[in-house]
Amino acid sequence: MPSSQSCFWTKVFLLYEEKSYGRKEIGMRHNLEKIRDEAIENISKVKDLEHLERLRLKYLGKKGELTRILRGMGDLPAEERPIMGRLANEVRTLIQVQLDKRRKELEEKLLEYRLREETIDVTVPGKKIERGNLHPLTSVCNEIAAIFIGMGFEVVEGPDVELEYYNFEALNIPESHPSRDVQDTFYITDEILLRTHTSPVQVRTMEEKDPPIKIIVPGRVYRSDDVDATHSPIFHQIEGLVVDENITMADLKGVLDVFVKELFGERTQTKFRPHYFPFTEPSMEVDATCVTCGGKGCRVCSDTGWIEILGAGMVHPNVLKYGGIDPDRYSGFAFGLGLDRIANLKYGIDDIRLLYENDIRFLRQF
Ligand code: DAH
């Protein structure tokens, strides 16, 4: 219907109404219709659920416009109240229907949007989870352990915080012995210290186990050294101990020769130089042909063609005795190697500090 016509009919209707009802009723009827029209228009325009809820409260809420009008019903003549009441109910129902309709539409739209935006594309490559890698010290330790395990050795461990007794005394290093000077360490009390080497686990193991003993002991050791490219107050060793009947230096040489060849390559040669350790007799240092130059001489081996790999020797009878083992029946050999030095040689690392700084750029390379 064209709007001019609608205006016309509205007027006719109003005139008719004015005759039938009093002014108050007309005013109330007007207000109700105004609310109805405004509500329908606003509801149709609303774009989201939150806004829609606000409209619901505005029109139908306890403090809403419809309630406000209904409160005015008391002023109407008694016979008009049911008529107005019915009209108000109709308006309420109509608004409610519109609200429900719009809510459904908006919910559907939201669902559609979500389904569109939140779909998972299973063909998109996943996020790569970065894998770390073992620290070079751990890798070399594992590699060395595997070689000895292959020769029948067992891996055991001992405490970092050690008794002075096991660290020195039981290794044939009495209190007055000068070799305590070169192994100064961190003392917790006079009797308790941070171990300076893995050798104390020799006696600890002998106390617990009867021969045959065939162990390696990887672990952290401590010395009161100043930090530089070749020194760190914390470093790592692997100790070895074999005790049985008829163990001779031939066994020592055979085992260590196999070890060095497995670790650095078949062509690597070994050299056993006489040396002194309080806990072995005889004692020696073991050299291998330089890993870097193959024996020709270079900066790494100070042009000698050899690099020192470890200390070793036949277990001193006193040490066997400290371990509760009869030196007349049993003999053994022992060795101790510096893990950090071997890792550095293997990977061409020229500064021990790099192993402890935890710089990810360094560690990623292994
Ligand atoms: N404990 C010695 C050190 O820290 C290394 C060593 C040398 C261990 C000879 C041994 C050995 O078992 O037989 O310098």
Side-chain angles (χ1 to χ4, degrees), residues 98-134:
Q98 295 300 317
L99 280 169
D100 290 347
K101 204 176 110 204
R102 190 69 188 140
R103 173 177 305 277
K104 235 176 141 195
E105 281 169 12
L106 288 174
E107 276 171 357
E108 267 164 25
K109 265 197 189 151
L110 186 67
L111 181 67
E112 232 172 71
Y113 171 81
R114 287 219 171 126
L115 287 174
R116 192 160 12 93
E117 291 300 308
E118 296 170 16
T119 40
I120 297 167
D121 181 353
V122 290
T123 63
V124 172
K127 277 197 194 124
K128 200 174 156 207
I129 297 170
E130 279 210 37
R131 262 184 85 176
N133 52 276
L134 293 178

Side-chain angles (χ1 to χ4, degrees), residues 86-353:
R86 204 179 319 125
L87 185 64
N89 266 336
E90 273 169 27
V91 170
R92 167 183 288 280
T93 313
L94 190 77
I95 295 178
Q96 189 63 60
V97 168
Q98 295 300 317
L99 280 169
D100 290 347
K101 204 176 110 204
R102 190 69 188 140
R103 173 177 305 277
K104 235 176 141 195
E105 281 169 12
L106 288 174
E107 276 171 357
E108 267 164 25
K109 265 197 189 151
L110 186 67
L111 181 67
E112 232 172 71
Y113 171 81
R114 287 219 171 126
L115 287 174
R116 192 160 12 93
E117 291 300 308
E118 296 170 16
T119 40
I120 297 167
D121 181 353
V122 290
T123 63
V124 172
K127 277 197 194 124
K128 200 174 156 207
I129 297 170
E130 279 210 37
R131 262 184 85 176
N133 52 276
L134 293 178
H135 190 282
L137 280 174
T138 311
S139 320
V140 176
C141 185
N142 290 348
E143 196 180 334
I144 292 174
I147 297 172
F148 283 107
I149 289 167
M151 288 192 273
F153 283 70
E154 190 187 333
V155 180
V156 300
E157 287 183 353
D160 286 18
V161 181
E162 185 52 287
L163 293 173
E164 180 269 334
Y165 171 79
Y166 288 110
N167 197 79
F168 294 125
E169 199 77 27
L171 288 170
N172 207 29
I173 313 171
E175 214 185 328
S176 57
H177 201 286
S179 82
R180 287 204 185 199
D181 275 353
V182 290
Q183 296 202 7
D184 190 18
T185 181
F186 306 91
Y187 283 82
I188 285 124
T189 66
D190 280 351
E191 280 94 41
I192 301 170
L193 45 75
L194 295 185
R195 66 178 176 189
T196 58
H197 48 182
T198 42
S199 305
V201 189
Q202 287 191 26
V203 175
R204 281 184 175 274
T205 307
M206 287 189 252
E207 280 178 347
E208 271 176 24
K209 233 173 105 65
D210 290 329
I213 293 171
K214 247 176 133 179
I215 56 156
I216 56 160
V217 187
R220 197 166 283 166
V221 300
Y222 307 81
R223 290 196 197 169
S224 161
D225 280 338
D226 288 330
V227 179
D228 62 25
T230 54
H231 292 87
S232 161
I234 300 175
F235 57 105
H236 298 79
Q237 289 188 336
I238 296 185
E239 190 79 12
L241 174 70
V242 173
V243 182
D244 203 354
E245 286 174 350
N246 304 317
I247 296 293
T248 69
M249 206 141 96
D251 298 307
L252 179 158
K253 290 183 80 174
V255 165
L256 292 179
D257 195 57
V258 167
F259 162 65
V260 170
K261 285 188 161 61
E262 292 250 344
L263 187 66
F264 293 121
E266 201 47 43
R267 305 224 329 246
T268 316
Q269 291 184 316
T270 42
K271 181 163 81 174
F272 296 79
R273 269 186 297 107
H275 199 74
Y276 171 78
F277 296 107
F279 32 87
T280 44
E281 182 58 37
S283 305
M284 66 204 69
E285 275 188 337
V286 181
D287 297 344
T289 40
C290 177
V291 216
T292 313
C293 63
K296 284 192 214 83
C298 68
R299 199 176 55 87
V300 174
C301 57
S302 311
D303 285 323
T304 61
W306 295 96
I307 41 170
E308 183 216 316
I309 295 293
L310 48 84
M314 300 308 291
V315 181
H316 197 289
N318 286 352
V319 177
L320 289 174
K321 275 191 225 156
Y322 274 112
I325 288 175
D326 178 5
D328 293 330
R329 183 170 167 205
Y330 294 104
S331 56
F333 71 84
F335 57 90
L337 57 90
L339 198 57
D340 308 70
R341 194 173 136 70
I342 296 205
N344 286 359
L345 282 170
K346 249 193 112 66
Y347 292 121
I349 300 165
D350 57 6
D351 193 324
I352 193 173
R353 286 170 287 201

